[in-house]
């Protein structure tokens, strides 16, 4: 069933959800942490057991809208007194079966973090595989998953005028973008997805979100945006008979061509100084490293781009195939599982694919001049949520450093970031440490091994003396040449500034 967003009914539903206290925190408390974790694994039974026979509004809505369980009309009418069961049907979110309301969509509360606190939203989407109980339909509109939350946390928070959300799905990225911009354009190849986006904007009382139908940048040709965000349908899917082409994850192109097409064309819709952020997959092939292939896409882009690519994970073809076959609702041991996995493996073999990388892509069209940032790195250790602030600080540090030669950097006063600690490892009985590490509590959680000179410099960066005099004092203490030490240390100071270990005072 396709949603039918109606402003008056969405306002009524919003009021009902508010009155019922249908929030993420309330639902977690309702059924407890174990049941909440089980839901994340596709298991609803513990939550249903915790709800028992309760018929209060919060329990009815959790059962109906979160877990997708049909509920008596009388209970739904009591829990949603403004909207009632008839309103849910009119919105295209439920159907009637004799005396029961059968939900055709889930509406789940979602907390969204901001720089000043958090906001509470409700996100409608198609029922997931746990509710469906089998393979998903190809037109499935995905709700808020792990990838959605990752990209939302990566979004730069600096206010801008216009944002483009490519492949909006249920609209979660558009809603996040609206926190930073008065005008958001959300595009998708799925009309059902666009209807969900409109409904979610109305349900959360957010104006300024315009939806357009089409692929990639076709709906906005000739326009410019200050920011582009995308959780695109990047999943590499075989173009073979019997393999479902899910709209929410398959862009219809072979291999990793969709991500390549995005990188190639995004510069045309970016205003000078504008940034683009997306998640993506890229293939490792027998003759090409995955990150090198991404580097080639950036080099061939339609406009010069700064690039910061972070690879978070690499899977072998079998693991990748099994991941996405299961994601579509086909479980190991069930009919068709082996054939689907085999189709993926055949597709990878045809292109000589040896592994598949996943990561974050941050691109920027320089405000003037040529690109100055080309960073391609692999960071696989777990990181905290909400990296947007860290990414923005790194870009600002990069831009400052690009204007500083070594003489001006040496004249700068620096401070150690508050989340940085130092660890020293000694061999038994040794007076001097064999390893000195700087550890970052925030950001990407980097661990950097440093020598005594750099460790001493970082320890002395307290906002008082400039870098140059500190290096000279350390050189005197270590009895080494000051000029040589500056030449050795300053490039590493630049790296520590970009990565957030140090900051300009």
């Amino acid at each position: 069933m396709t949603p039918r967003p109606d402003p008056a009914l969405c306002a009524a539903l919003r009021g009902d959800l508010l009155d019922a206290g249908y929030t993420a925190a309330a639902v977690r408390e309702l059924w407890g942490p174990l049941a909440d974790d089980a839901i994340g694994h596709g298991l609803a039974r513990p939550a249903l057991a915790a709800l028992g026979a309760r018929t209060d509004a919060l329990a009815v809505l959790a059962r109906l809208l979160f877990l997708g369980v049909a509920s008596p009309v009388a209970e739904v009418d009591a829990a949603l007194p403004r909207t009632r069961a008839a309103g849910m049907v009119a919105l295209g979110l439920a159907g009637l079966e004799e005396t029961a309301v059968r939900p055709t969509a889930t509406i789940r509360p979602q907390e969204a973090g901001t720089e000043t606190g958090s906001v509470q939203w409700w996100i409608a989407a198609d029922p997931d595989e746990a509710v469906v109980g089998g393979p998903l339909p190809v037109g499935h509109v995905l709700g808020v998953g792990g990838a959605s939350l990752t990209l939302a946390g990566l979004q730069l928070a600096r206010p801008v005028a216009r944002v483009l959300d490519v492949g909006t799905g249920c609209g979660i990225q558009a809603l996040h973008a609206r926190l930073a911009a008065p005008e958001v354009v959300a595009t998708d190849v799925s009309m059902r997805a666009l209807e969900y986006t409109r409904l979610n904007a109305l349900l959360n009382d957010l104006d300024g979100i315009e939806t357009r139908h089409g692929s990639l940048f076709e709906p906005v040709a000739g326009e410019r945006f200050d920011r582009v965000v995308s959780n695109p349908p990047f999943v590499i899917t075989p173009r073979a008979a019997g393999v479902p082409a899910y709209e929410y994850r398959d862009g219809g192109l072979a291999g990793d061509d969709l991500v390549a097409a995005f990188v190639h064309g995004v510069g045309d819709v970016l205003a000078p100084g504008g940034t683009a952020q997306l998640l993506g997959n890229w293939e490792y092939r027998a003759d090409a490293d995955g990150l090198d292939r991404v580097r080639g896409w950036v080099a061939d882009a339609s406009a010069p781009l700064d690039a910061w690519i972070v690879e978070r994970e690499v899977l072998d073809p079998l693991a990748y195939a099994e991941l996405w076959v299961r994601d579509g609702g086909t479980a190991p041991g069930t009919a068709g599982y082996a054939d689907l996995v085999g189709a993926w493996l055949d597709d990878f073999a045809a292109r000589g694919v040896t592994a598949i990388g996943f990561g974050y892509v941050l691109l920027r069209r320089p405000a003037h001049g040529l690109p100055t940032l080309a960073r391609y790195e692999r960071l696989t250790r777990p990181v905290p949520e909400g990296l947007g602030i860290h990414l923005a600080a790194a870009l600002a540090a990069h831009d400052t450093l690009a204007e500083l030669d070594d003489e001006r950097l040496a004249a700068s006063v620096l401070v150690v970031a508050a989340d940085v600690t130092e660890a020293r490892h000694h061999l038994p009985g040794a007076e001097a440490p064999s390893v000195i590490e700087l550890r970052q509590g925030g950001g990407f959680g980097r661990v950097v091994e440093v020598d005594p000179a750099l460790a001493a410099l970082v320890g002395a960066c307290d906002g008082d003396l400039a870098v140059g005099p500190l290096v000279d004092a350390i050189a005197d203490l270590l009895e080494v040449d000051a000029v040589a030490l500056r030449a050795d240390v300053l490039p590493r100071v630049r790296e520590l500034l970009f990565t957030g270990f140090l900051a300009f005072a």
Side-chain angles (χ1 to χ4, degrees):
M1 185 179 294
T2 298
R4 296 184 290 272
D6 175 271
L9 283 174
C10 285
L13 180 56
R14 179 172 64 252
D16 286 335
L17 298 178
L18 279 169
D19 288 350
Y22 186 56
T23 67
V27 170
R28 282 195 296 268
E29 184 177 353
L30 181 67
W31 49 47
L34 176 63
D36 205 56
D37 288 344
I39 289 171
H41 291 81
L43 303 172
R45 182 178 296 179
L48 288 171
L51 294 176
R54 289 179 54 169
T55 59
D56 56 285
L58 182 59
V60 170
L61 296 182
R63 195 180 290 114
L64 177 79
L65 302 181
F66 203 110
L67 301 178
V69 176
S71 303
V73 171
E75 292 184 5
V76 174
D77 284 347
L80 300 173
R82 298 177 182 85
T83 316
R84 302 179 68 82
M88 295 294 289
V89 173
L91 284 169
L93 301 177
L96 292 180
E97 295 178 346
E98 298 181 354
T99 61
V101 179
R102 177 182 54 82
T104 57
T106 58
I107 303 176
R108 292 175 173 171
Q110 180 68 46
E111 292 173 345
T114 70
E115 286 191 294
T116 57
S118 64
V119 295
Q120 173 68 57
W121 290 331
W122 300 280
I123 305 298
D126 282 336
D128 56 27
E129 61 270 20
V131 176
V132 173
L136 298 172
V138 294
H140 179 81
V141 176
L142 192 67
V144 180
S148 301
L149 294 175
T150 295
L151 182 60
L154 291 172
Q155 282 199 37
L156 304 177
R158 179 177 62 85
V160 293
R162 297 188 82 205
V163 177
L164 171 64
D165 175 17
V166 178
T168 189
C170 68
I172 184 62
Q173 303 306 327
L175 268 61
H176 276 275
R178 182 62 182 81
L179 297 175
E183 182 180 346
V184 177
V185 175
T187 70
D188 207 291
V189 297
S190 166
M191 289 300 298
R192 293 185 69 254
L194 296 178
E195 293 295 340
Y196 269 117
T197 296
R198 294 187 192 106
L199 186 142
N200 285 325
L202 290 169
L203 183 58
N204 294 288
D205 198 22
L206 287 173
D207 60 3
I209 298 177
E210 177 189 355
T211 59
R212 301 187 195 175
H213 183 251
S215 178
L216 286 174
F217 310 113
E218 294 171 358
V220 295
E223 300 181 47
R224 295 291 182 271
F225 296 85
D226 305 296
R227 186 171 299 150
V228 178
V229 296
S230 183
N231 181 13
F234 59 75
V235 176
I236 298 167
T237 306
R239 309 261 73 86
V243 177
Y246 294 111
E247 290 180 341
Y248 74 90
R249 70 184 201 188
D250 175 20
L253 301 180
D256 51 19
D257 286 352
L258 182 87
V259 179
F262 185 103
V263 173
H264 182 268
V266 70
D268 290 337
V269 300
L270 283 175
T275 57
Q277 294 176 273
L278 70 148
L279 307 179
N281 278 159
W282 37 85
E283 295 180 342
Y284 284 71
R285 298 178 180 175
D287 59 348
D289 178 273
L291 284 183
D292 285 344
R293 297 185 69 248
V294 180
R295 193 188 304 269
W297 299 343
V298 174
D300 293 337
S302 58
L305 297 171
D306 286 319
W308 184 7
I309 316 300
V310 178
E311 185 174 78
R312 301 289 294 130
E313 184 179 24
V314 178
L315 294 178
D316 64 59
L318 177 59
Y320 188 90
E322 292 190 304
L323 168 67
W324 293 109
V325 172
R326 291 193 303 269
D327 176 81
T330 302
T334 60
Y337 181 84
D339 289 340
L340 287 172
V341 171
W344 251 276
L345 297 181
D346 290 344
D347 180 61
F348 286 138
R351 289 190 304 280
V353 175
T354 59
I356 303 93
F358 165 81
Y360 315 152
V361 177
L362 195 163
L363 306 169
R364 182 174 61 173
R365 184 166 186 169
H368 51 78
L370 296 175
T372 57
L373 177 62
R375 190 178 181 96
Y376 299 78
E377 55 185 331
R378 296 179 172 93
L379 298 171
T380 57
R381 63 187 301 123
V383 297
E385 296 180 356
L387 283 169
I389 295 174
H390 174 74
L391 297 180
L395 289 179
H398 168 81
D399 293 341
T400 299
L401 288 166
E403 300 294 326
L404 296 182
D405 59 18
D406 281 354
E407 183 177 350
R408 293 177 64 194
L409 177 59
S412 300
V413 179
L414 307 180
V415 293
V416 183
D419 64 328
V420 173
T421 57
E422 180 184 273
R424 294 183 175 234
H425 304 272
H426 295 73
L427 292 173
E431 181 178 350
S434 56
V435 177
I436 306 174
E437 293 176 333
L438 300 179
R439 297 176 177 268
Q440 185 179 51
F444 282 102
R446 299 174 191 264
V447 177
V448 178
E449 186 173 335
V450 296
D451 56 26
L454 187 56
L457 175 62
V458 171
C461 286
D462 57 4
D464 186 13
L465 295 176
V467 172
L470 290 175
V471 173
D472 291 344
I474 293 168
D476 185 57
L477 181 66
L478 297 178
E479 298 181 341
V480 298
D481 180 72
V483 174
L485 186 60
R486 281 200 187 199
D488 173 64
V489 164
L490 289 183
R492 293 188 285 162
V493 168
R494 290 180 181 273
E495 175 69 5
L496 293 178
L497 282 163
F498 179 85
T499 51
F501 286 84
L502 296 172
F504 290 98

